[in-house]
Amino acid sequence: MPPSLSPTAVEFLLTCSRHTRPFAADARFLPDGQPKPVVVFVHGFKGFKDWGHFNVLADYFARQGFVFIKLDLSHNGIVPGGTGDLEDMEAFGNNNFSLELDDLGTLLDSLYWPGEAPIPAPEMDLSRLFLVGHSRGGGLAMLKAAEDARVRAVAAWAPISDIDQRWSEEVMKRWQAEGVQYIDNTRTGQRMPLYYQLVEDFQANKERLDIPTNVREKLRQPLLILHGDEDETLPVAMAHDLKSWKPDAELVILPGAGHMFGGKHPWDEDQLPRLAQEVADRTIAFFQGIK
């Protein structure tokens, strides 16, 4: 690729047929007119597409010959054109897992719109469409691949292994009676609502949202699992569980890595954190090996 080229950024808005709330996405790629594999990145809980080092990550993948797309899931608390950080707590409280899967499906569908795709068709090789998800986004990426054969492979970074969080009976009764429980965002100091509809949606869509069963029985695509042995948020045992359900998955445990692989928000450097760099390089090599 010509060394003079730098990644182009294309930003666009999408709407899902399930709701009317617009959500933003952006793509980074080298505009050389050559078809490139496409990576779609899914953020995690309390995350968003421009969190921390994610823009540096997108540019890095673009320079390695990919179209790298990241999205704000519609109810993550980000407002298109807003502050750029989590601000709509009502939307956040009304988020749920099947809604997030439908948002991701809307983005994937948009790449195939004849003459209307947000990214020029000559730049994309959609026969090599890959998903990357971090944390909760890793779980979503695996579930989406299990139901969408267009996805060729998945990389799950510090992923959840189960959506059923098994709150205590006391918590569930109080949550149902009050209609809401609150969690703290230690970064922003916000009290973030979780409305009981989250539970109702999970119960209504258990088969679709069952990560263990979907990974065991429906996820046919190659899977890369990357997890840190010092993850302070999700235990590394979750990665081993996923590997046991899909023995042909590639599992890499990174010594000394925490949940964000060295990233933080905001991120003011133009280089990736060392561990995030290793995660990116291993993921790139994995995708390049998919024929």
Side-chain angles (χ1 to χ4, degrees):
M1 295 179 184
S4 59
L5 286 178
S6 58
T8 287
V10 175
E11 300 184 359
F12 51 100
L13 289 177
L14 295 166
T15 53
C16 177
S17 61
R18 182 170 165 184
H19 58 82
T20 59
R21 183 177 176 83
F23 57 101
D26 64 66
R28 311 287 180 102
F29 57 92
L30 295 177
D32 57 4
Q34 299 299 311
K36 293 171 278 293
V38 178
V39 173
V40 175
F41 175 77
V42 188
H43 65 76
F45 185 55
K46 295 188 287 187
F48 46 96
K49 71 179 182 65
D50 297 324
W51 186 94
H53 59 283
F54 291 166
N55 286 320
V56 181
L57 178 75
D59 283 341
Y60 184 73
F61 268 79
R63 289 191 178 97
Q64 305 305 311
F66 293 84
V67 175
F68 190 93
I69 305 169
K70 48 191 175 66
L71 76 159
D72 279 323
L73 295 165
S74 64
H75 287 66
N76 68 350
I78 293 287
V79 176
T83 66
D85 207 334
L86 304 175
E87 59 182 311
D88 190 337
M89 293 297 98
E90 187 66 14
F92 183 90
N94 280 296
N95 196 16
N96 60 56
F97 299 98
S98 67
L99 197 159
E100 290 183 332
L101 277 178
D102 290 344
D103 286 344
L104 180 53
T106 295
L107 173 58
L108 298 186
D109 289 345
S110 77
L111 304 179
Y112 293 84
W113 291 340
E116 298 181 33
I119 301 136
E123 303 289 350
M124 297 188 293
D125 179 0
L126 290 173
S127 71
R128 293 183 290 165
L129 174 62
F130 306 126
L131 293 183
V132 174
H134 174 255
S135 193
R136 175 160 148 175
L140 291 170
M142 291 183 287
L143 289 174
K144 177 50 67 177
E147 69 181 18
D148 194 329
R150 296 175 297 185
V151 178
R152 287 290 307 280
V154 179
W157 298 351
I160 61 172
S161 61
D162 198 348
I163 283 176
D164 188 352
Q165 301 185 49
R166 298 180 177 86
W167 281 285
S168 69
E169 184 178 353
E170 179 184 351
V171 168
M172 294 296 288
K173 285 182 177 179
R174 185 169 64 249
W175 193 0
Q176 184 174 20
E178 297 178 358
V180 63
Q181 66 165 305
Y182 291 89
I183 59 169
D184 292 326
N185 187 332
T186 55
R187 179 177 64 84
T188 64
Q190 292 162 302
R191 295 194 73 221
M192 309 180 80
L194 295 176
Y195 295 117
Y196 190 71
Q197 61 82 31
L198 178 70
V199 177
E200 294 171 330
D201 175 79
F202 175 72
Q203 292 173 341
N205 296 280
K206 269 191 173 181
E207 183 175 344
R208 187 186 187 199
L209 300 177
D210 184 340
I211 293 176
T213 299
N214 276 282
V215 169
R216 274 194 301 258
E217 300 178 4
K218 297 182 180 180
L219 183 60
R220 305 303 181 198
Q221 299 93 326
L223 172 64
L224 170 66
I225 306 162
L226 291 154
H227 212 112
D229 69 355
E230 296 184 10
D231 191 317
E232 69 284 5
T233 302
L234 297 177
V236 72
M238 288 187 167
H240 292 289
D241 286 341
L242 289 166
K243 171 70 173 176
S244 72
W245 302 330
K246 186 172 172 60
D248 64 351
E250 181 179 341
L251 171 62
V252 178
I253 305 300
L254 296 177
H259 191 60
M260 298 308 304
F261 303 104
K264 63 180 181 179
H265 187 81
W267 184 257
D268 299 324
E269 301 178 33
D270 59 4
Q271 300 293 320
L272 289 169
R274 178 184 62 82
L275 288 164
Q277 179 76 61
E278 182 175 354
V279 167
D281 287 338
R282 286 181 178 272
T283 301
I284 288 168
F286 174 70
F287 289 153
Q288 288 174 337
I290 303 296
K291 303 301 182 184

